[in-house]
Amino acid sequence: MTETYAETLRRLGSAQKGAARSAPAYSRFVNRKLGRVLAAWAYQRGLSPNAVTGISALFTFSGVALLALVPPSWTVGVVVSALLVLGYAWDSADGQVARLTGTGSAAGEWLDHVVDATKIAALPLALLVGIYRFTDVSDGWLLVPIANAVVGSALFFAMILTEQLRRAHGVVSQAATGGRSPWLRSVLVMPTDYGLLCLSFLLYGSTAAFLWVYAALTACTAGYLVLALRKWFVEVRELSRSRVPA
């Protein structure tokens, strides 16, 4: 390979897909850039998109396992947060490698979504196990990770299904590039950001502080889900009505 790392990084910068309209700030402005750096590194070493997905899963599920197996502490919180952040960045990198190499496939997209769906459920459930095993918080707090697992899974499934239905009807969902403050929506929906959830584990050494922040993020995501489900249902209904019969 004659292309340098810097050249690959520049080429990746011009090969980015449009951001989703609902992409929150960390995912859109931080994680994609981290993923670009990792994607350039992976490309230089000839890694396939599926291999990058595997690396993402390794980091993420290592962090998940620590939550269930090791008592909460500041050190554990920092390590878990770092593993989850890196897993999320590699999750962004696999698609960028696919676009860079032209090797994107339905199987690769399927694998990526399966890993995402698994981590969305496994992370709060592992947290539930860890809290139950290693802390003496009241039983009511155990409902928070359960709620997070339900809300996160429902949001992910509805978002993916809505996007697939949009594609089937020829609708491309991208963030607005013009108008006033195009970044404002990304900032407003930041409490729903998986990246912010990853960073919240930096507070894991203080169980009470972490659980309050975690509960607030879960509540914000639940509120967003209620509003988004109504919007998406109306949108999908209109897509069906506008479809021209064969």
Side-chain angles (χ1 to χ4, degrees):
M1 180 181 296
T2 59
E3 186 176 69
T4 66
Y5 174 83
E7 291 171 339
T8 300
L9 198 59
R10 283 195 297 270
R11 189 153 64 92
L12 264 173
S14 62
Q16 298 296 301
K17 68 175 182 179
R21 289 181 294 187
S22 58
Y26 178 90
S27 296
R28 185 176 179 185
F29 301 122
V30 178
N31 195 61
R32 291 186 72 185
K33 292 182 179 179
L34 290 176
R36 188 184 309 172
V37 171
L38 296 176
W41 182 89
Y43 174 79
Q44 286 285 313
R45 281 149 186 81
L47 297 180
S48 69
N50 287 350
V52 174
T53 300
I55 294 173
S56 170
L58 179 62
F59 277 106
T60 297
F61 293 117
S62 294
V64 169
L66 285 177
L67 291 175
L69 299 175
V70 182
S73 69
W74 291 107
T75 300
V76 171
V78 170
V79 173
V80 168
S81 181
L83 288 170
L84 296 178
V85 165
L86 286 170
Y88 193 32
W90 280 107
D91 185 33
S92 175
D94 57 7
Q96 298 191 55
V97 172
R99 287 190 296 277
L100 191 62
T101 59
T103 57
S105 66
E109 185 176 6
W110 178 90
L111 180 62
D112 184 45
H113 289 334
V114 168
V115 171
D116 287 343
T118 304
K119 78 181 181 186
I120 287 171
L123 178 57
L125 294 180
L127 175 63
L128 172 65
V129 171
I131 292 174
Y132 180 78
R133 290 183 64 192
F134 302 119
T135 73
D136 57 356
V137 299
S138 62
D139 290 347
W141 283 109
L142 300 179
L143 297 175
V144 178
I146 295 175
N148 187 278
V150 173
V151 169
S153 296
L155 178 58
F156 179 76
F157 176 80
M159 185 169 15
I160 293 299
L161 180 58
T162 302
E163 187 61 31
Q164 294 299 320
L165 290 172
R166 285 172 181 158
R167 290 184 188 179
H169 288 79
V171 177
V172 179
S173 173
Q174 291 189 346
T177 56
R180 298 175 58 185
S181 303
W183 47 266
L184 182 59
R185 178 183 175 87
S186 292
V187 173
L188 292 176
V189 299
M190 193 167 177
T192 70
D193 200 328
Y194 176 77
L196 186 60
L197 180 65
C198 297
L199 294 175
S200 72
F201 283 94
L202 292 172
L203 298 173
Y204 198 48
S206 172
T207 303
F210 168 78
L211 285 175
W212 276 110
V213 170
Y214 186 76
L217 294 177
T218 300
C220 288
T221 305
Y224 176 82
L225 174 63
V226 171
L227 297 175
L229 286 178
R230 181 182 182 279
K231 175 183 178 296
W232 291 336
F233 178 79
V234 171
E235 180 182 349
V236 171
R237 184 176 59 187
E238 292 303 313
L239 287 175
S240 301
R241 289 176 177 175
S242 63
R243 188 170 185 174
V244 179

